[in-house]
Amino acid sequence: MLRSMSERHQNEVAVKVTLTQIDDEIRASVAGEIDADNCKSFADPFVGTEGVALTGNKIVLDAAELSFIDSSGVSELLRIRDAAAQHGGSLVIDAPTPAVRRVLEITGLLATFGLA
C-alpha cells in the first residue's frame, strides 16, 4: 500500500483515498464525498507535491464507496487524468455508485473515464 489519506475540517465531509500500487497500476479506493470544500485534498495524493509517480501508470479509481461528487470534484478528476496522460499514464473509474455515474453521464464524461 502506498498510503492512506483522510481529511476532515470543520463543516467538511471526509473523503478517504487509499492507494495501492501493483506493477504499473495504481488502485485508488475513494470513500465519502468530493465537493468544493475537499476536492483539493482529494487530488493531492495524485497531483500534489508528494503525489504518486504518474509516469506510465494506469490509475484505477475505485468509486464503489464514493457517495457524492460535484462539479469541483469532476474538475479534479479531469486534472488528475490530464496529469497522468502528460506522463504516459491514464485514469479510469471503476464501480461508480449510481449517483456518481449519473453526474458523469450528465457531464458527458462516461467514455472519458472508461465507463461507456
Side-chain angles (χ1 to χ4, degrees):
M1 183 179 324
L2 292 174
R3 76 174 136 210
S4 178
M5 186 196 79
S6 181
E7 288 285 326
R8 183 177 295 277
H9 298 289
Q10 191 174 30
N11 299 325
E12 179 182 316
V13 174
V15 61
K16 182 177 181 183
V17 179
T18 304
L19 302 173
T20 307
Q21 184 164 6
I22 300 173
D23 298 323
D24 63 348
E25 182 175 294
I26 297 171
R27 185 103 181 146
S29 297
V30 182
E33 299 182 0
I34 305 172
D35 58 24
D37 290 332
N38 66 13
C39 65
K40 297 297 182 197
S41 62
F42 157 71
D44 277 349
F46 306 100
V47 294
T49 56
E50 302 209 7
V52 298
L54 297 175
T55 304
N57 285 319
K58 176 181 181 181
I59 300 170
V60 178
L61 193 137
D62 179 353
E65 294 185 38
L66 182 60
S67 59
F68 175 83
I69 190 167
D70 69 5
S71 61
S72 301
V74 171
S75 179
E76 290 303 307
L77 286 174
L78 290 168
R79 187 166 74 108
I80 295 164
R81 181 197 62 128
D82 290 348
Q86 287 176 353
H87 293 92
S90 62
L91 170 66
V92 296
I93 297 176
D94 185 35
T97 58
V100 171
R101 185 177 185 87
R102 180 70 177 136
V103 169
L104 296 174
E105 180 181 12
I106 290 169
T107 57
L109 294 172
L110 286 174
T112 300
F113 295 111
L115 293 168

